[in-house]
Amino acid sequence: MSQLPFQEGAFVWCAFPERENPAQPGPLHIGYSLAVSGVALTSPPPSALMAYTTTRQWPPDTPLPLGVLAFDHAQASIYGQFRAFVMDLRRVAFPPMTTTWFPQLDQPGSGVKGHAPKEDQRRFRRTAEDLARRHGELVERLGPLTPPPRR
């Protein structure tokens, strides 16, 4: 069994889908890997649960909504990022781990631009799970592997 190109907790270049075309790759963007599943070099390929990140800052003096986490420059540097950013756990994607969705996957480093420490990984995952469980209507699910809604 080969090692997957990235694991949970990686900040990685991803063709994060846009809501206008939720099952199609979008523009190249750094996403945060909440989870990965599958085995490398298999069919179907492994998949990832990616959270949306942006360097567009949340308006000052505006409370952050549930599931939105803001990181200043000092915090961002802990994760290998060079700019302050916002992680929006209300917007997630389920893409396969292929070069169509992760264009730098076959390059050195596989497009990984940083990692979250284990403690933060657990906190982000708990926050995302709690948001999905308690306020699922707030979560926008994108990507070709998005499971159908539960009824």
Side-chain angles (χ1 to χ4, degrees):
M1 176 169 66
S2 294
Q3 183 79 9
L4 291 173
F6 62 87
Q7 298 290 326
E8 177 179 335
F11 289 90
V12 61
W13 285 109
C14 174
F16 204 96
E18 297 176 305
R19 59 180 58 97
E20 295 81 13
N21 293 303
Q24 299 298 316
L28 199 57
H29 192 84
I30 292 179
Y32 173 73
S33 175
L34 283 163
V36 298
S37 63
V39 178
L41 305 176
T42 60
S43 185
S47 60
L49 171 58
M50 303 298 294
Y52 184 78
T53 70
T54 180
T55 55
R56 182 176 291 160
Q57 293 302 294
W58 206 258
D61 302 324
T62 304
L64 295 173
L66 285 173
V68 175
L69 308 170
F71 304 93
D72 64 22
H73 180 76
Q75 293 167 313
S77 67
I78 294 168
Y79 306 125
Q81 305 306 302
F82 298 105
R83 296 174 63 185
F85 70 96
V86 172
M87 182 187 306
D88 191 344
L89 298 171
R90 302 171 306 169
R91 187 172 186 196
V92 297
F94 298 87
M97 207 179 282
T98 65
T99 54
T100 300
W101 289 92
F102 299 92
Q104 297 180 7
L105 209 55
D106 58 0
Q107 297 176 17
S110 302
V112 174
K113 302 309 287 180
H115 295 88
K118 289 287 186 195
E119 183 178 319
D120 290 343
Q121 290 176 35
R122 286 188 290 274
R123 179 171 56 95
F124 300 156
R125 181 96 182 239
R126 275 193 313 269
T127 302
E129 289 170 348
D130 187 58
L131 182 67
R133 186 175 49 256
R134 293 178 173 207
H135 304 282
E137 73 281 0
L138 298 178
V139 181
E140 179 180 25
R141 294 167 178 88
L142 307 168
L145 303 177
T146 301
R150 287 188 281 180
R151 298 190 185 265

